[in-house]
């Protein structure tokens, strides 16, 4: 033990004397690498923390709302009759049965945010959910009983009360789909238990008040059951037999698990993208450690001749990589704190828009995420330092007597590396076709990693070939400096391949994401234009946030009939269901009128043959997302329970649809009423029959007329505004992706600067010898610039090829396995044509520090050394 301690102390003393002091003598190099690795680590950490905060907020809310319930009774697509509660309470295996309702309401003020209103029986619910009123005194310990006695009263969450400055005794008007009413605040909840759901933006009221306010008399969203201890599966089956056939018993965690699965898929996609920035930073660490090893090769030989073992040198340079990783991670912590403030809002808003509603009020520092960030950063740095450390341990003691050094020698030839790289690229396709693992496209991500590694290994051979091919031509066009640069790139392709690999990775990411975003947006534009057709859309007030569960009142449906001479109305009704734990929508609409003005975005099936069959009610069409998640396709039978009906219909076709609540199934409204049961309209779209008139004016006039009559009960939006809003949400969704991409490109530019610095320092004696035999400063600088140009153009070309392959994987593998949808593949040549030259100029500008470094020391002094 004592011997091990002495060796450890000696190692650290030698490391400080040899490596750490060298880093201190060249602060510019170290700071450049630290900035690159810190940016990568900060992006990776902040993205993970932001998504984890949203995931944690959603999971916590679902757990708090579920409480201690063992089972949940629901009626798919509908509401549960309240009358069965008495039967449940009399069952010997049931300890408690609590009716539960939720809806979103908002204060009657401009730009107010909606919050969750919860309705239950405060007495029946006590065994299932915990909550407590703050600041109760001894004279008023049972103030919560006033919820039962006093209509239109509620108790607020602490965060909600602070947001609006509400206090106990205040009267607040709240608006809902059905009506606007005034509520009295009886108290504020302690920030614990149910009061923490939705980030504290909740309020609770008695079930009678809730039902009167929402006009859901005798019905509830669900009934939560708490069973007596040791109730077996047979006991649950017995409870099921006493219930109506339309009621099912499910787990209280079902909604939580389906929502978390969608968030986790989004988290994995962002994590992989952010990890790319860290991966690009790996090349910076490699460049600096290789620079230190190459520039100090003579000193390493002296250490070997003095008795230092090869393993000691290996560990010393590996420790240098670890030091850079640890220091970069420490610098990343404050950067992460800055980035996460920006990312948290964008990430939570994207999750709320695309998947499930989340309300993030606090950002908790998750220990696992911190450990993962630290481990990933240090591992990447160690991996980057591995090859330079292996080269350093191969330095022979006899090199201490050599006069000139040519830098590090690499044992692998460009052809050998190209063979390995080609093998990696060949394996990409079969690997990407493997099925997802637990809903995660892990084989696809491994394929992407192999793609990056493959092109990085191919880069030395590409540089060698480009140098050989273009050097003679450049001699005629740009003179001797360009010719010499081409020859050096040819002979030193393996050395310069490090920064080219970084640039390939960054350019590939840029190219693939430009293609993917363009493809996605173009596809969404076609979908919006065909499927989201309508001059005016009408729903109940706050219908979207409440999942259109409250149908349009009969008086409005009747009143709209007087406009029938001028317009066609396409009513619809959505039922929110689950298929094998995946959420989806079953939508019925008037397909005959819909096909008169719009169409589905067809993916599979003969549209001309399917449309007549759809309008005759012979089957359904399903969305691509539903097809991928359920495994159902054309010819299969779709089956679902919707309220009191069991729907069983053949699948006629598959369509593209990018509404994000799982998948969709479409069926004829008329035939649903005829074959199954009647229902009310949940929303409608209005088309003007006269398409030649000024539609904007006609829409505005009808919009005003409807609002004049029913402004308190409906929400209206013109078709143009709705379609523009969808595209705006799309652009906002990819804003985070753009930020991550820019950071990756910045890190790649730092890699170019660092690698060129390595090359200049390694060849300082050669360059000064050229100057001594007649070359001018301008010619030598021009030669270095042409070397940078070779590297940048090779990286740009290979990166674009890699990017096109990567874009195919993203569009047809990653997105399909993660989210269930694909797009029409298309390339935004204009964006690439404008952006890629800017990347070239940025990378070439990164060569300027190396060019200035050429003659930092007088040539005579360098030539006198050794």
């Amino acid at each position: 033990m004592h011997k091990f301690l002495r060796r450890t102390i000696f190692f650290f003393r030698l490391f400080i004397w040899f490596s750490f002091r060298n880093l201190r003598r060249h602060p510019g190099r170290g700071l450049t690498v630290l900035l690159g690795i810190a940016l990568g680590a900060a992006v990776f950490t902040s993205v993970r923390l932001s998504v984890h905060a949203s995931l944690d907020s959603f999971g916590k809310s679902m757990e708090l709302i579920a409480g201690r319930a063992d089972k949940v009774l629901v009626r798919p697509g509908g509401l549960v009759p309240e009358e069965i509660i008495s039967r449940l309470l009399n069952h010997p295996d049931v300890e408690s049965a609590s009716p539960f309702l939720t809806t979103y309401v908002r204060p009657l003020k401009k730009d107010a945010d909606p919050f969750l209103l919860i309705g239950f029986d405060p007495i029946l619910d006590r065994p299932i959910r915990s909550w407590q009123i703050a600041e109760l005194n001894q004279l008023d310990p049972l103030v919560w009983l006033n919820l039962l006695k006093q209509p239109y009263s509620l108790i607020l969450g602490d965060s909600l009360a602070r947001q609006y400055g509400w206090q106990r005794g205040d009267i607040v008007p709240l608006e809902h789909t059905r009506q606007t009413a005034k509520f009295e605040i009886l108290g504020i909840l302690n920030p614990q238990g149910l009061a923490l759901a939705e980030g504290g933006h909740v309020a609770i009221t008695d079930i009678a008040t809730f039902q009167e306010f929402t006009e859901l008399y005798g019905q509830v969203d669900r009934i939560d059951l708490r069973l007596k201890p040791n109730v077996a599966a047979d006991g649950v089956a017995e409870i099921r037999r006493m219930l109506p056939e339309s009621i099912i018993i499910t787990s209280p965690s079902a909604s939580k698990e389906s929502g978390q699965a969608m968030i986790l898929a989004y988290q994995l996609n962002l994590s992989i993208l952010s990890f790319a920035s860290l991966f690009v930073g790996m090349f910076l660490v490699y460049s600096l450690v290789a620079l230190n090893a190459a520039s100090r090769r003579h000193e390493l030989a002296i250490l070997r001749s003095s008795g230092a073992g090869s393993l000691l040198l290996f560990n010393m340079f590996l420790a240098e990589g670890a030091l850079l990783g640890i220091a970069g991670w420490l610098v990343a912590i404050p950067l992460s704190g800055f980035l996460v403030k920006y990312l948290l809002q964008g990430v939570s808003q994207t999750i709320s828009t695309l998947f499930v509603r989340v309300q993030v009020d606090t950002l908790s520092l998750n220990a696992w995420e911190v450990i993962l960030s630290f481990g990933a950063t240090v591992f990447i740095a160690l991996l980057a330092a591995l090859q330079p450390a292996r080269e350093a341990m191969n330095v022979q003691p006899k090199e201490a007597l050599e006069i000139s050094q040519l830098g590090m020698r690499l044992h692998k030839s460009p052809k050998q590396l190209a063979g390995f790289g080609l093998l990696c690229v060949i394996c990409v396709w079969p690997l990407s076709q493997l099925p997802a693992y637990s809903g995660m496209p892990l084989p696809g991500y491994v394929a992407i990693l192999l793609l990056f590694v493959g092109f990085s290994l191919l880069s030395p051979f590409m540089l060698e070939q480009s140098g050989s091919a273009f050097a003679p031509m450049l001699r005629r066009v740009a003179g001797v400096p360009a010719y010499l640069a081409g020859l050096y790139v040819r002979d030193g392709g393996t050395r310069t391949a490090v920064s080219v690999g970084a640039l390939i990775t960054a350019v590939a990411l840029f190219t693939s994401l430009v293609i993917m975003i363009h493809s996605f947006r173009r596809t969404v534009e076609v979908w919006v234009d065909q499927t989201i057709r309508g001059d005016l859309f009408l729903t109940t007030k706050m219908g979207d946030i409440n999942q259109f569960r409250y149908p349009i009142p009969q008086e409005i449906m009747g009143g709209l009939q007087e406009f029938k001479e001028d317009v066609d109305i396409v009513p619809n009704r959505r039922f929110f269901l689950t298929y094998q734990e995946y959420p989806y929508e079953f939508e019925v609409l008037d397909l005959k009128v819909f096909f008169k003005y719009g169409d589905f975005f067809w993916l599979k099936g003969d549209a001309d043959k399917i449309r007549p069959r759809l309008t005759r009610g012979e089957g359904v069409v399903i969305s691509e997302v539903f097809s991928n998640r359920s495994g159902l396709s054309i010819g299969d039978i779709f089956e679902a329970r919707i309220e009191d009906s069991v729907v069983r219909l053949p699948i006629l076709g598959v369509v593209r649809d990018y509404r994000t609540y799982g998948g969709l199934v479409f069926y004829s409204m008329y035939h649903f009423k005829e074959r199954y049961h009647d229902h009310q309209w949940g929303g409608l779209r209005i088309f003007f029959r006269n398409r030649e008139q000024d539609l904007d004016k006609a829409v505005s006039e009808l919009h005003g007329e409807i609002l004049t009559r029913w402004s308190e009960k409906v929400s209206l939006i013109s078709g143009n505004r709705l379609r523009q809003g969808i595209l705006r949400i799309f652009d906002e969704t990819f804003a985070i992706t753009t930020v991550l991409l820019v950071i990756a490109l910045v890190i790649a530019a730092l890699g170019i600067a660092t690698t060129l610095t390595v090359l200049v320092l390694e060849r300082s004696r050669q360059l000064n010898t050229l100057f001594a035999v007649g070359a001018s400063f301008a010619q030598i600088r021009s030669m270095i610039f042409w070397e940078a140009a070779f590297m940048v153009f090779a990286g740009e070309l290979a990166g674009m090829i890699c990017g096109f392959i990567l874009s195919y994987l993203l569009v047809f593998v990653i997105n399909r396995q993660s989210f269930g949808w694909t797009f029409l593949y298309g390339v935004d040549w204009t964006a690439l044509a404008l952006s890629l030259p800017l990347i070239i100029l940025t990378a070439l500008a990164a060569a300027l520090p190396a060019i200035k470094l050429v003659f930092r020391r007088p040539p005579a002094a360098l030539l006198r050394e050794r």
Side-chain angles (χ1 to χ4, degrees):
M1 183 68 182
H2 181 64
K3 186 177 180 181
F4 173 77
L5 184 61
R6 284 198 311 169
R7 286 183 175 180
T8 304
I9 293 173
F10 172 76
F11 174 78
F12 279 108
R13 289 180 64 187
L14 181 62
F15 177 77
I16 293 171
W17 171 76
F18 184 82
S19 298
F20 187 71
R21 288 174 64 187
N22 182 63
L23 289 172
R24 289 184 60 187
R25 280 198 298 268
H26 306 283
R29 305 178 200 169
L31 289 176
T32 301
V33 174
L34 283 181
L35 177 61
I37 201 76
L39 276 174
V43 169
F44 181 75
T45 305
S46 56
V47 163
R48 295 280 308 181
L49 286 175
S50 298
V51 182
H52 178 82
S54 299
L55 185 65
D56 184 61
S57 173
F58 173 76
K60 184 187 296 182
S61 292
M62 298 303 290
E63 288 175 0
L64 294 170
I65 289 174
R68 295 180 291 275
D70 297 313
K71 296 293 179 181
V72 175
L73 274 61
V74 296
R75 183 165 169 250
L79 298 168
V80 179
E82 192 178 7
E83 61 189 26
I84 66 175
I85 295 175
S86 58
R87 280 185 280 165
L88 291 168
L89 290 173
N90 290 326
H91 195 281
D93 291 333
V94 175
E95 181 179 301
S96 177
S98 174
F100 196 79
L101 300 102
T102 61
T103 191
Y104 284 95
V105 299
R106 64 186 170 211
L108 191 62
K109 57 173 64 176
K110 187 177 181 181
D111 299 327
D113 296 323
F115 64 87
L116 187 67
L117 179 64
I118 299 172
F120 54 52
D121 185 314
I123 298 176
L124 292 178
D125 200 72
R126 274 296 181 182
I128 296 179
R129 274 165 283 268
S130 61
W131 49 275
Q132 186 177 18
I133 303 175
E135 300 179 358
L136 290 181
N137 55 50
Q138 294 181 351
L139 298 178
D140 196 12
L142 300 178
V143 66
W144 59 270
L145 285 176
N146 289 329
L147 282 177
L148 297 171
K149 298 185 295 182
Q150 184 175 329
Y152 288 91
S153 59
L154 49 74
I155 303 173
L156 300 178
D158 182 63
S159 298
L160 180 63
R162 284 188 280 105
Q163 178 182 356
Y164 293 107
W166 290 337
Q167 298 178 358
R168 182 179 179 182
D170 288 349
I171 305 295
V172 295
L174 300 179
E175 64 174 345
H176 178 255
T177 301
R178 290 306 191 207
Q179 60 178 305
T180 298
K182 294 180 179 180
F183 283 78
E184 180 181 350
I185 300 174
L186 299 181
I188 310 297
L189 292 169
N190 269 331
Q192 62 184 38
L194 188 60
L196 296 177
E198 296 262 333
H201 290 75
V202 296
I204 60 176
T205 189
D206 177 58
I207 186 172
T209 294
F210 190 104
Q211 290 173 325
E212 183 178 344
F213 183 48
T214 59
E215 299 180 7
L216 296 178
Y217 302 105
Q219 296 177 310
V220 297
D221 290 348
R222 68 179 201 237
I223 299 175
D224 294 344
L225 294 183
R226 185 165 175 81
L227 305 177
K228 291 182 178 178
N230 304 319
V231 174
D234 292 342
V236 176
E238 185 181 339
I239 295 173
R240 174 67 192 86
R241 284 192 292 271
M242 64 173 282
L243 298 173
E245 192 175 341
S246 61
I247 305 298
I248 64 172
I249 300 178
T250 185
S251 166
S253 63
S255 297
K256 171 189 169 184
E257 290 168 357
S258 62
Q260 284 181 326
M262 291 186 285
I263 299 176
L264 283 171
Y266 179 66
Q267 181 188 44
L268 185 59
N269 280 311
L270 273 188
S271 296
I272 295 296
L273 182 58
S274 61
F275 184 77
S277 298
L278 197 56
F279 182 75
V280 173
M282 179 180 72
F283 294 97
L284 294 177
V285 177
Y286 178 98
S287 297
L288 182 58
V289 177
L291 166 62
N292 292 337
S295 62
R296 309 186 72 190
R297 192 176 181 89
H298 187 72
E299 298 174 41
L300 294 175
I302 293 175
L303 283 175
R304 288 297 312 277
S305 63
S306 302
S310 59
L311 186 60
L312 177 64
L313 301 187
F314 175 82
N315 289 334
M316 199 153 53
F317 280 92
L318 206 62
E320 191 171 310
L323 176 65
L324 291 170
I326 294 171
W329 183 79
L330 291 174
V331 175
I333 296 302
L335 285 176
S336 301
F338 171 77
L339 283 175
V340 78
K341 293 179 181 178
Y342 168 79
L343 290 174
L344 182 60
Q345 181 179 0
V347 165
S348 60
Q349 181 178 344
T350 299
I351 291 174
S352 295
T353 301
L354 295 182
F355 308 117
V356 291
R357 180 177 172 84
V358 295
Q359 186 79 40
V360 183
D361 59 331
T362 58
L363 181 65
S364 57
L365 191 63
N366 182 267
W368 164 244
E369 296 296 342
V370 173
I371 293 171
L372 178 64
S373 169
F374 177 80
T377 305
V378 176
F379 174 77
I380 283 291
L382 287 172
L383 189 64
L386 187 61
Q387 180 61 32
R390 288 180 60 191
E391 292 299 324
M393 71 183 293
N394 292 327
V395 173
Q396 299 300 317
K398 65 180 182 178
E399 292 188 28
L401 302 176
E402 295 181 7
I403 296 177
S404 63
Q405 304 299 329
L406 298 177
M408 307 296 288
R409 300 179 179 89
L410 294 176
H411 302 298
K412 296 291 184 182
S413 70
K415 288 185 179 180
Q416 287 179 306
L417 294 175
F420 288 124
L422 187 60
L423 181 62
C424 290
V425 174
I426 291 173
C427 291
V428 166
W429 172 252
L431 187 61
S432 68
Q433 298 307 297
L434 294 177
Y437 176 77
S438 297
M440 302 294 179
L442 297 182
Y445 287 125
V446 175
I448 290 175
L449 179 61
L450 279 181
L451 184 66
F452 286 147
V453 171
F455 270 86
S456 297
L457 293 176
L458 283 168
S459 60
F461 182 75
M462 291 187 294
L463 288 169
E464 182 183 70
Q465 296 302 308
S466 63
S468 299
F470 292 106
M473 181 184 67
L474 286 174
R475 183 175 188 175
R476 294 190 298 270
V477 176
V480 174
Y483 173 71
L484 293 176
L487 293 180
Y488 184 79
V489 169
R490 181 196 66 188
D491 298 333
T494 310
R495 301 289 298 117
T496 56
V498 178
S499 63
V500 173
L503 189 61
I504 287 173
T505 302
V507 172
L509 280 171
F510 176 83
T511 304
S512 62
L513 289 174
V514 166
I515 293 173
M516 187 193 75
I517 293 172
H518 173 73
S519 301
F520 199 176
R521 197 181 200 283
R522 190 184 67 158
T523 306
V524 170
E525 285 175 350
V526 176
W527 168 68
V528 164
D529 185 62
Q530 289 186 192
T531 306
I532 313 299
R533 295 296 299 272
D535 298 321
L536 192 62
F537 287 76
L538 183 149
T539 65
T540 52
K541 183 174 290 186
M542 302 180 67
D544 54 345
I545 196 172
N546 283 312
Q547 296 186 333
F548 309 100
R549 59 186 293 194
Y550 300 97
I552 298 174
Q554 288 289 344
E555 60 174 294
I556 299 177
M557 294 168 58
L560 290 172
Q561 298 305 311
E562 65 182 78
F563 302 108
K564 291 283 286 183
E565 291 185 4
D566 299 319
V567 301
D568 280 327
I569 297 176
V570 179
N572 75 298
R573 179 66 187 271
R574 300 183 191 179
F575 301 94
F576 290 80
L577 309 170
T578 56
Y579 184 92
Q580 297 177 350
E581 298 184 357
Y582 286 111
Y584 74 99
E585 296 176 41
F586 184 87
E587 181 173 348
V588 294
L589 69 161
D590 189 335
L591 289 171
K592 185 176 181 180
V593 179
F594 172 74
F595 284 136
K596 181 179 176 182
Y597 296 96
D599 199 359
F600 292 123
F601 193 172
W602 297 94
L603 180 65
K604 295 180 182 179
D606 188 334
D608 292 332
K609 294 181 180 178
I610 295 174
R611 290 190 201 96
R613 297 185 64 191
L614 271 176
T615 56
R616 292 195 299 267
E618 295 179 11
V620 299
V621 292
I622 62 176
S623 71
E624 179 188 21
V625 174
F626 184 79
S627 176
N628 288 332
R629 287 182 172 172
S630 66
L632 300 176
S633 191
I634 296 176
D636 294 328
I637 300 298
F638 166 78
E639 186 172 350
R641 176 171 288 281
I642 302 175
E643 295 182 336
D644 294 328
S645 302
V646 176
V647 177
R648 195 172 186 275
L649 295 162
I651 298 173
L652 305 178
V654 180
V655 299
R656 297 183 192 270
D657 198 284
Y658 297 97
R659 279 170 282 188
T660 52
Y661 188 86
L664 285 102
V665 178
F666 298 96
Y667 186 54
S668 165
M669 173 177 277
Y670 172 78
H671 293 90
F672 185 87
K673 291 180 179 180
E674 183 182 64
R675 183 174 297 180
Y676 300 110
H677 62 264
D678 197 2
H679 56 80
Q680 294 176 286
W681 297 355
L684 56 88
R685 40 181 117 184
I686 300 172
F687 295 90
F688 282 91
R689 293 178 178 176
N690 181 8
R691 311 304 294 173
E692 304 299 324
Q693 65 178 311
D694 185 344
L695 289 177
D696 290 337
K697 181 180 179 182
V699 167
S700 178
E701 291 176 352
L702 182 58
H703 184 281
E705 178 68 21
I706 294 175
L707 284 184
T708 300
R709 299 188 185 187
W710 305 294
S711 61
E712 293 185 357
K713 295 184 179 181
V714 300
S715 291
L716 288 168
I717 185 170
S718 70
N720 288 334
R721 285 188 59 192
L722 177 61
R723 290 184 283 272
Q724 291 169 5
I726 292 172
L727 295 176
R728 185 181 65 254
I729 290 172
F730 173 89
D731 294 333
E732 291 172 352
T733 300
F734 284 97
I736 296 173
T737 304
T738 304
V739 173
L740 301 182
L741 184 60
V742 169
I743 291 175
L745 291 172
V746 169
I747 296 173
L750 293 175
I752 295 289
T754 306
T755 300
L756 284 173
T757 303
V758 173
L759 299 178
V760 167
L761 290 176
E762 282 184 354
R763 295 184 296 141
S764 58
R765 294 175 63 83
Q766 300 173 19
L767 297 175
N768 282 280
T769 300
L770 287 175
F771 176 74
V773 298
S776 67
F777 286 172
Q779 287 176 317
I780 293 174
R781 290 191 176 103
S782 176
M783 182 180 69
I784 296 172
F785 183 81
W786 277 107
E787 289 175 17
F790 264 106
M791 294 164 55
V792 170
F793 279 99
E796 185 95 1
L797 179 61
M800 286 190 66
I801 297 172
C802 180
F804 273 88
I805 300 174
L806 178 58
S807 68
Y808 187 89
L809 293 177
L810 291 175
V811 170
F812 296 106
V813 177
I814 301 299
N815 274 287
R816 180 175 58 82
Q817 293 184 352
S818 295
F819 306 112
W821 54 46
T822 57
F823 335 122
L824 297 175
Y825 190 87
V827 181
D828 189 353
W829 294 108
T830 303
L832 289 178
L834 293 175
S835 302
L836 294 178
L838 294 178
I839 298 175
I840 293 175
L841 293 175
T842 302
L844 290 177
L848 295 178
I851 294 174
K852 292 181 180 179
L853 192 65
V854 178
F855 300 112
R856 186 183 61 180
R857 299 179 62 190
L862 280 171
L863 294 175
R864 281 198 302 270
E865 291 182 356
R866 294 195 296 273

